[in-house]
Amino acid sequence: MERFKFNTAEIIKSMTKAHGATTVEHENGLHARPASVFVRTASDFDSEVAVSKLDDEGDADAKSSIAVISLGIEPGDEIKITAEGSDADEAVERLITLVEHDFEAKD
């Protein structure tokens, strides 16, 4: 019987979880164009990404415009971004930077 060999580093990397929080300062909150830019950026990652208001229990799929807009995030709201997957750290970092730079995508 052949045994499977796993690279421990690959297994741990594939199960990475990350989270971060920031405040939405954009005059439109997380609606319309800002939501579109946010969703497009989240969709660049393989990880599952979610966003929520910091003081709420519910979250939304950050890769769905309707889900993100349905959160009703307004200017001044604090949000939490969570990700799980191989590129979770990068996803959270890039989305927080995007929000903090008023949804101006940096390529």
Side-chain angles (χ1 to χ4, degrees):
M1 183 161 138
E2 185 177 325
R3 296 204 178 257
F4 293 102
K5 293 182 181 180
F6 293 101
N7 180 334
T8 305
E10 288 177 14
I11 294 170
I12 292 170
K13 184 176 181 183
S14 70
M15 296 186 300
T16 300
K17 293 182 182 180
H19 62 88
T22 190
T23 302
V24 175
E25 299 294 342
H26 192 277
E27 63 186 18
N28 294 325
L30 197 47
H31 299 281
R33 190 195 68 79
S36 174
V37 173
F38 187 87
V39 167
R40 208 174 17 225
T41 302
S43 296
D44 288 342
F45 297 95
D46 293 329
S47 294
E48 292 181 19
V49 185
V51 61
S52 63
K53 286 185 181 180
L54 198 57
D55 58 351
D56 285 349
E57 291 183 22
D59 63 3
D61 179 356
K63 297 180 182 183
S64 166
S65 294
I66 293 173
V68 170
I69 291 170
S70 72
L71 292 172
I73 296 170
E74 300 293 335
D77 285 347
E78 291 182 305
I79 62 170
K80 180 178 180 182
I81 300 167
T82 57
E84 184 172 354
S86 61
D87 53 3
D89 291 332
E90 184 183 354
V92 170
E93 183 178 332
R94 187 166 329 150
L95 288 166
I96 286 176
T97 299
L98 183 71
V99 173
E100 292 176 347
H101 286 96
D102 228 12
F103 300 95
E104 295 300 322
K106 306 287 183 202
D107 295 324

